Amino acid sequence: MDNKNNTENEKKNQDVISLINSWQLHALNSIEQAKEPEYIGDIPIILPAFDETVFNMVVADAGMGKSLMSRSIIQYILDNYDDIVVVWVDLEFQEMVAKQRGVLDLIANYSNRFYLITQNNVNEIRENSKKLKTTFSIVNFLLNELRKHMSDKRFFCVIDSFEDLVEDTSNDTELKRHFNNLSNLKSFSFLFNHHINKDVVKNNSMRFRGSMIIKAKLSTLLLIQNKTKEDDFTLLFELLVLKVRTAFPPSQKISVRVDINNFEIKDMLITTDVEEIKILKSIYFLLMKEKELQKTVLVNTVSQEVRKRKEKVRAVIQKYSRFFDFVKGVRNEEKVSLTKNVDLIDEFCSLIGVQNRNYTEKQRELWKVLLDMNDDDVIDLTVNFDNKVVEYKYVKTLKNHIHELNDKQVDYILSNLVNKVENT
């Protein structure tokens, strides 16, 4: 009897070992075939791989532009990835805000690739369903149905906001259950918009509201540190990378420049400094106007324009010296001009968010007029673009968008600028 039991136990042990060995082989094959994570450009938000689920989160204080940032990321994905379906779960939905964010264009131009789920839709299902009562259960149900309907697609899902999806962000048990349920949605990458912790937190990586479970489940966690309006149409977001589970340089700063007129991501810049960009932009326009300046004059003028110390301006010129030519003048006074290297000029313009184009004769005429005006001068001009009205409030906006104007529009602007100058 004992021999029989020993034989059965030995067989069971062998079966378990065989099972573990098969797991090892499967893991080996999976690791060998693993691909590098697919980021959204230089922003460490991970796009979905087939049969995997990824959780990303952006945290910021109210009014810092989390939803606007998400809208631009949605546009970027729809324009660059034909195989990804975007779902925007807008639980803070307001009709007028949605109109301003161009949601009508998304619905009209990306049929079968963009889906909007609002709080109104959630409420409608809640009223008509006996089983689905919580916001999470309803959203989870809808996403599962989309996944079944398009099993050959990858999905990018924006949840705005996380607190409206999860009733208690401090409840560990509830959070684990919700994340586990979402993990069953394969080929999904989630981007949760979440609010910042109002308490004083020394550790940046804990700036979000709620349990540590949130951070543990995320693949990436980004903090919007600053938002700067560069001109009428351009916002520059500074993002601090708080967590990236995969191979990406830690504690990086990412700057993302967004055109809020068409929700286009214009640039994604790693380890940039908004103050530096402001100084470089001032230097660029000054040297475009003067061609060449004594270094001391350049430093003094830029320092006054951007209201930064001269030491900071000098440090920036030194750091980005590859973009400038330096010539010794009389009494060894150093003169500075923009580099003649076309590739470096393109890189410089990309860094500061300025279009470097070959202007038409009319555009150059407008350019010369604008160079004699201050960047922050208010011009309040309205121009028609194929039945679309665009308003230019500041001189600096026109400088950045001259390349978009045809000769007729340039003539219209020039005549208006002359009238404004004569009136003043």
Side-chain angles (χ1 to χ4, degrees), residues 33 40 114 128 137 177 239 244 255 262 272 310 338 362 380-381 384:
Q33 295 172 14
I40 298 175
F114 173 77
N128 296 304
S137 64
R177 183 173 68 252
L239 303 173
V244 179
S255 291
N262 55 20
T272 54
K310 295 176 185 177
L338 291 172
K362 285 286 185 182
D380 282 328
L381 287 176
N384 287 316

Side-chain angles (χ1 to χ4, degrees), residues 347-363:
E347 181 186 342
F348 187 35
C349 289
S350 176
L351 176 67
I352 63 177
V354 172
Q355 296 291 339
N356 183 35
R357 302 291 180 95
N358 292 320
Y359 295 126
T360 65
E361 188 174 339
K362 285 286 185 182
Q363 288 170 339

